[in-house]
Amino acid sequence: DRISGKSACNRYSAEIGEGESPGEIRISQAITTRMACAEQLMEIETHYLQALATVTGFSFHAGSLVLTGQTVDGVLFSLLFTAATADTP
């Protein structure tokens, strides 16, 4: 199975599957388009895609998807996703 979306600058796609333990998930390193963007946006995108590749859990909170994980530096994080609307760019 695959996930896809748009990060700070580029579109991305990655494999998603079951993790090593029950209730865990794994997301592969994403492949992306190669659009040129401002350096600040590229830095944000790099951090986001690195975090996405270390996700191990998911839940739902108030109708939004929450992905959780731990960076290689040991920092715990949560990524909150809300549904796009018709007027979302």
Side-chain angles (χ1 to χ4, degrees), residues 10-47:
N10 291 287
R11 298 199 63 73
Y12 67 88
S13 176
E15 292 182 16
I16 186 170
E18 295 178 11
E20 294 180 15
S21 300
E24 288 186 350
I25 62 171
R26 62 158 186 76
I27 299 175
S28 70
Q29 188 68 38
I31 56 172
T32 66
T33 56
R34 306 293 258 163
M35 296 180 67
C37 293
E39 186 175 332
Q40 288 179 321
L41 286 178
M42 294 305 296
E43 187 174 324
I44 291 167
E45 179 171 280
T46 297
H47 289 293

Side-chain angles (χ1 to χ4, degrees), residues 42-67:
M42 294 305 296
E43 187 174 324
I44 291 167
E45 179 171 280
T46 297
H47 289 293
Y48 168 71
L49 294 174
Q50 287 173 343
L52 194 63
T54 62
V55 164
T56 56
F58 72 97
S59 62
F60 293 93
H61 179 73
S64 296
L65 172 65
V66 180
L67 299 179

